[in-house]
Amino acid sequence: MPKDPNGAMRARQRLGAPASSLLWRSGAPSAGRTPALLFLLIAALALLFALPSPTRAASLSFRIPRLDGEFTGVANLLLDSARNTHDIELRWKVTAGSPAGTPGLRVIILEAEGSGIALRARAEVDAATLDGTWRVESAHAELAELLPRLAARLPSVVSGLSAEGRGEITGGGEFRAGKFDGRAAFRLDHATVSNPARGWMIEGLALHAELASLAALSTDPAAPQTLSFTRLEAGGVEIRDARAAFALTPDGLLRLDSFRADGLGGSLALAPFTLNLARPSAAIRAEVVGIDSARLAAYLPAAVSEARGRLSGDLEFRWDPRAGLSFGDGHLSLQKTEPASIRLSPAPGFFTAKVPEKIELLGGPLRRLFTIRNPAYDTLKKIELGEMPLSVESIEAGFEPSGDEQGRTARVAIVARPTAPDSAVKVVRFNISVSGPLSEVIRFGLDDTLSFSW
């Protein structure tokens, strides 16, 4: 292996991704020991980086050379060979030796630090069988320092992401006949993740998970795996105090056992579901209780300017990587635990176009002489101009993304009364319908179905 002008030995070893490589440097060892030292370093780092990638770890095979001593250097990870730059720089130290009285046992300790990462790992190997055990004694990553270094390699959907907090990993296991397996525990507390460009933020993010098998990528069925956050804000909607319990199964499924959160003045709970990690898509059923319609003002149809009351029901959401999130079937209805009201946006003629302003008492030539003003006309005019709110008795909302026989994907039926106590109109019934994708639900329009009585 040729030396550079400074006398340092250099080598490269691919780490998996075509654009990723490992560059290491050490202080000019003898030419005879360089291949062994390089192999020792690669084996120790492979042990470290096998943790987050159990598929690669399961087929890991290596040999431990008979070297004692301490070796140090710098590992430049995620090297961009086109620009000759790197994203992560780790200062590492490998200590190898045999404890007194056990010449057949090799002990290797790896320590690394830099770019927001700190690690200490230990392996004990039987020199005769090459079987042994490994343990990550401590490992953590500071998100605020590490994430910007990975930004160029993250998917475009999370470009502009920023984060604060510390993630920690501990674990241990064994390797037999070249096969690697073990357990690992992941912990993240009090983290904040945001994307200002896309207008969302999560605060108080916490993840507590333990993999019972790294090779199978499955969690411990006896230990709870939880994901929670204290606050999420996106698109003007705020969700608080969310908590999910989940599991990873040996057959590659993510199973959500429970999810609950508070938001929009009520609560949201998801029914359990499973997600195939190899072909991810899911139909998710949500139950909402006591949602405050006033907090949905920005998402109400244009025909409604104000609303007050609480809604409960169930909704279905569908998700897959290509189509993204979409609406499924669902139903919402008004809770009668507190008063509810609605005020329409000005729509001249919505009611009065179907109601005569005057009522003729007689027919024939004398009909114009015997007329009276319709007592309901003025009330209906005030309602359609948004000057008089309606006291709502019931709201029934149904969602059918595939469309009903008339092509409507959503339909809201409202029964209400004028708030004026002496109103000539006693009951108003009307429907709000959506035709087209529910993703454009804000483009509601009023249909022709209405009735009133006095």
Side-chain angles (χ1 to χ4, degrees):
M1 183 181 296
K3 295 184 178 181
D4 67 10
N6 297 323
M9 307 298 295
R10 297 179 180 269
R12 295 181 186 270
Q13 171 66 37
R14 289 289 176 186
L15 288 180
S20 301
S21 63
L22 167 67
L23 172 66
W24 68 274
R25 298 191 294 270
S26 63
S30 64
R33 294 178 60 187
T34 296
L37 176 58
L38 173 60
F39 204 84
L40 174 64
L41 174 60
I42 292 173
L45 287 175
L47 181 63
L48 164 64
F49 289 106
L51 263 177
S53 182
T55 302
R56 184 170 62 244
S59 60
L60 180 64
S61 178
F62 54 87
R63 296 291 185 269
I64 303 298
R66 295 178 177 272
L67 289 177
D68 292 338
E70 182 179 287
F71 311 93
T72 61
V74 176
N76 295 327
L77 308 179
L78 302 175
L79 185 70
D80 188 336
S81 56
R83 297 182 300 164
N84 196 29
T85 61
H86 62 272
D87 303 309
I88 298 175
E89 182 176 275
L90 291 177
R91 299 175 298 279
W92 57 264
K93 179 175 75 173
V94 175
T95 304
S98 295
T102 56
L105 180 65
R106 308 293 295 162
V107 177
I108 302 170
I109 298 175
L110 170 65
E111 297 172 276
E113 185 175 4
S115 303
I117 298 173
L119 165 77
R120 179 181 171 86
R122 177 188 180 95
E124 297 183 2
V125 186
D126 187 309
T129 64
L130 299 180
D131 294 338
T133 61
W134 63 272
R135 184 170 74 252
V136 175
E137 297 178 343
S138 65
H140 72 258
E142 300 291 346
L143 301 184
E145 185 173 354
L146 180 62
L147 192 62
R149 297 173 182 272
L150 301 176
R153 297 178 182 273
L154 294 175
S156 59
V157 69
V158 293
S159 61
L161 202 66
S162 64
E164 296 178 358
R166 169 185 284 198
E168 298 180 350
I169 301 176
T170 57
E174 61 182 16
F175 38 91
R176 304 288 179 193
K179 301 298 183 180
F180 178 97
D181 200 3
R183 303 173 68 95
F186 302 84
R187 189 178 186 95
L188 176 68
D189 288 297
H190 310 299
T192 298
V193 182
S194 64
N195 191 322
R198 296 179 179 268
W200 63 264
M201 175 179 64
I202 302 176
E203 294 179 336
L205 180 64
L207 170 66
H208 299 165
E210 183 173 353
L211 294 178
S213 171
L214 288 169
L217 195 63
S218 59
T219 55
D220 186 347
Q225 324 298 323
T226 61
L227 175 68
S228 61
F229 59 83
T230 58
R231 179 172 173 263
L232 179 149
E233 185 175 347
V237 175
E238 184 177 85
I239 304 296
R240 288 187 173 274
D241 301 327
R243 181 179 176 85
F246 67 93
L248 295 172
T249 65
D251 52 354
L253 298 179
L254 169 63
R255 188 185 72 229
L256 182 76
D257 296 323
S258 64
F259 176 87
R260 189 192 181 284
D262 296 330
L264 299 172
S267 64
L268 167 71
L270 300 184
F273 67 89
T274 58
L275 183 70
N276 189 326
L277 297 178
R279 299 179 298 276
S281 64
I284 305 168
R285 203 74 187 177
E287 180 185 8
V288 295
V289 178
I291 298 297
D292 186 356
S293 60
R295 302 193 187 189
L296 295 173
Y299 309 98
L300 290 175
V304 178
S305 64
E306 294 179 11
R308 188 163 62 97
R310 296 189 177 276
L311 301 170
S312 297
D314 59 275
L315 302 168
E316 184 181 74
F317 301 93
R318 299 168 185 166
W319 178 84
D320 67 68
R322 294 184 178 180
L325 187 67
S326 60
F327 290 93
D329 297 346
H331 177 267
L332 290 174
S333 59
L334 182 70
Q335 284 188 343
K336 297 184 178 181
T337 56
E338 60 183 66
S341 64
I342 191 171
R343 186 188 298 271
L344 301 182
S345 299
F350 174 64
F351 288 116
T352 55
K354 301 176 182 291
V355 177
E357 184 175 357
K358 295 182 179 182
I359 299 175
E360 299 173 351
L361 299 179
L362 295 176
L366 301 178
R367 65 179 183 273
R368 293 187 179 182
L369 299 177
F370 295 92
T371 62
I372 60 172
R373 186 169 182 83
N374 188 341
Y377 187 88
D378 291 338
T379 299
L380 294 174
K381 189 172 185 66
K382 289 179 180 180
I383 293 172
E384 69 184 13
L385 295 178
E387 298 174 358
M388 179 183 293
L390 293 169
S391 177
V392 178
E393 291 189 351
S394 69
I395 295 178
E396 296 292 336
F399 307 94
E400 193 174 345
S402 58
D404 62 10
E405 65 279 0
Q406 298 182 35
R408 296 172 298 193
T409 54
R411 183 179 179 89
V412 182
I414 299 175
V415 178
R417 297 178 181 273
T419 54
D422 57 349
S423 171
V425 178
K426 303 304 180 184
V427 178
V428 177
R429 296 178 176 87
F430 57 96
N431 296 323
I432 301 175
S433 298
V434 178
S435 297
L438 282 178
S439 59
E440 300 177 4
V441 68
I442 198 170
R443 300 178 182 178
F444 275 109
L446 289 170
D447 67 14
D448 293 329
T449 306
L450 61 92
S451 67
F452 50 87
S453 60
W454 68 86

